[in-house]
Amino acid sequence: MPHTILRIDSSARRDGSVSRALTDRILARLSDDTTRIIPRDLAGGLPLLTADWIGANFTPEADRTEAQRAELALSDALIAELKAADTIVIGLPVYNFGLPAALKAWIDLVARAGVTFRYTEAGPEGLLGGKRVIVAAASGGTPFGSEIDFATRYLTHILGFLGLTDVTVLGADRLAVDADAALAAAHAAVDRLPRAA
């Protein structure tokens, strides 16, 4: 079985994006001729949750109408991509101290009770375990790991909630302060990534 990597890009910029360039570098590091890449570019945006979507999601699967199944079709496709992947690489530009809206919309579409997590007597349990996640982050001024880094902390938390606990965050932070140093450190971190999980 070939190794499968799900690549998620969330930068609104397709040209000149640091997070996309880092994701390129990560894929070059981790993939070979047999690797299967599933691309998912969120730059065009994703639909936000609606009352109809929520109603469909909370209707038992056997009782859903055709309209409700259609309402959940994109969510089902996004979850299928996650389940098919051995490794997930997420490009994360920090916008206003948080995630791009499209990446938050992706999270809302894939975080589904009974599908990607469930509630138990012992608390919530993620259902997507056994996968490696690498986050390629980029920020203009936010230091990663600092008290104002809401983006990587939130993303790591919600991934763990879904059972994705093997998460490596690397990237270029404070690009507006010293871009050359930030990029050099990020490239070095990518080059140190183990090729196998």
Side-chain angles (χ1 to χ4, degrees):
M1 290 287 291
H3 191 83
T4 298
I5 299 176
L6 170 60
R7 172 184 180 152
I8 300 169
D9 286 300
S10 63
S11 174
R13 294 192 300 170
R14 289 192 170 90
D15 296 322
S17 164
V18 172
S19 65
R20 287 177 186 271
L22 287 175
T23 302
D24 286 340
R25 194 178 184 101
I26 291 167
L27 263 65
R29 170 76 179 171
L30 300 183
S31 60
D32 58 30
D33 291 343
T34 68
T35 305
R36 176 183 173 225
I37 307 293
I38 303 172
R40 175 57 70 173
D41 195 332
L42 308 181
L46 291 174
L48 302 181
L49 301 191
T50 63
D52 287 342
W53 188 96
I54 293 169
N57 185 45
F58 285 101
T59 299
E61 186 173 1
D63 297 333
R64 287 175 190 150
T65 65
E66 285 303 314
Q68 287 178 319
R69 291 189 182 94
E71 194 71 38
L72 297 174
L74 175 58
S75 171
D76 290 339
L78 297 174
I79 291 169
E81 292 174 351
L82 278 170
K83 290 182 175 180
D86 303 298
T87 299
I88 302 156
V89 179
I90 302 174
L92 169 63
V94 177
Y95 291 171
N96 301 314
F97 304 101
L99 309 183
L103 185 55
K104 178 56 167 66
W106 177 84
I107 289 167
D108 289 341
L109 289 168
V110 301
R112 285 172 57 187
V115 182
T116 54
F117 71 93
R118 64 186 174 192
Y119 292 108
T120 72
E121 291 183 359
E125 176 188 1
L127 301 176
L128 296 177
K131 302 173 187 298
R132 178 188 189 191
V133 182
I134 301 168
V135 177
S139 82
T142 301
F144 295 144
S146 72
E147 64 181 9
I148 61 171
D149 176 17
F150 306 109
T152 69
R153 286 168 31 202
Y154 169 76
L155 185 57
T156 301
H157 174 80
I158 191 65
L159 291 171
F161 184 79
L162 301 179
L164 299 166
T165 56
D166 180 6
V167 180
T168 300
V169 177
L170 55 83
D173 60 357
R174 305 181 76 231
L175 285 160
V177 178
D178 190 341
D180 290 342
L183 290 170
H187 292 168
V190 172
D191 294 345
R192 291 193 298 269
L193 282 172
R195 294 182 186 277

